[in-house]
Amino acid sequence: MSQRRFDRAMQQLRQSDPQSRENGFDFLREHADSYIDELIAEFEGERDDHGLRCLLLELIAEARDEKALSILSGQLESLDESLQFWAVRGLEMLDTRDSETVLDKARANGWIA
């Protein structure tokens, strides 16, 4: 996948127009596994747009890539229920021994139900 296509999809995702956002999201969801490093970098760099952070974390979860383990794990302690939801969902979809261990620990610590 090309960096140009990723950049274009991210531009669409940042638009206020709902159709543009949806188009960018749909492209990235379809190719999330190919762009996992870029998605993680975008998530880590985004601080201002809560909705975009949620969409990025959802895309990271959809990638089902072990590279996402630390990002997803880090969001389990978030006070933001949307981010916490996608972190849990992403770890469940990852379905590895490590992701299960992280979820078990989060449940034991009372971070998630």
Side-chain angles (χ1 to χ4, degrees):
M1 292 286 135
S2 76
Q3 184 65 38
R4 190 170 142 236
R5 291 180 80 185
F6 176 81
D7 292 342
R8 190 169 124 221
M10 283 303 303
Q11 285 177 335
Q12 290 176 307
L13 205 54
R14 287 188 167 92
Q15 298 295 315
S16 58
D17 172 56
Q19 187 61 54
S20 291
R21 282 184 87 124
E22 186 176 333
N23 291 344
F25 182 81
D26 288 345
F27 173 80
L28 290 170
R29 182 178 48 209
E30 187 175 325
H31 303 288
D33 58 331
S34 298
Y35 291 117
I36 187 62
D37 294 324
E38 292 89 342
L39 290 168
I40 289 171
E42 289 287 340
F43 180 81
E44 290 176 332
E46 182 57 53
R47 296 286 171 233
D48 299 328
D49 188 335
H50 175 263
L52 181 57
R53 282 181 57 81
C54 291
L55 292 174
L56 288 167
L57 195 60
E58 181 178 352
L59 291 167
I60 291 167
E62 288 288 336
R64 294 179 173 100
D65 190 304
E66 288 198 46
K67 292 178 185 178
L69 185 66
S70 66
I71 291 290
L72 297 170
S73 300
Q75 293 305 309
L76 290 176
E77 295 180 60
S78 176
L79 298 177
D80 185 312
E81 290 180 14
S82 298
L83 293 174
Q84 190 180 66
F85 171 84
W86 283 110
V88 170
R89 184 73 183 117
L91 290 164
E92 290 171 347
M93 290 190 302
L94 195 53
D95 196 28
T96 65
R97 185 175 301 221
D98 289 338
S99 65
E100 290 299 321
T101 300
V102 168
L103 287 169
D104 289 344
K105 180 181 174 187
R107 285 183 189 102
N109 289 333
W111 298 336
I112 60 173

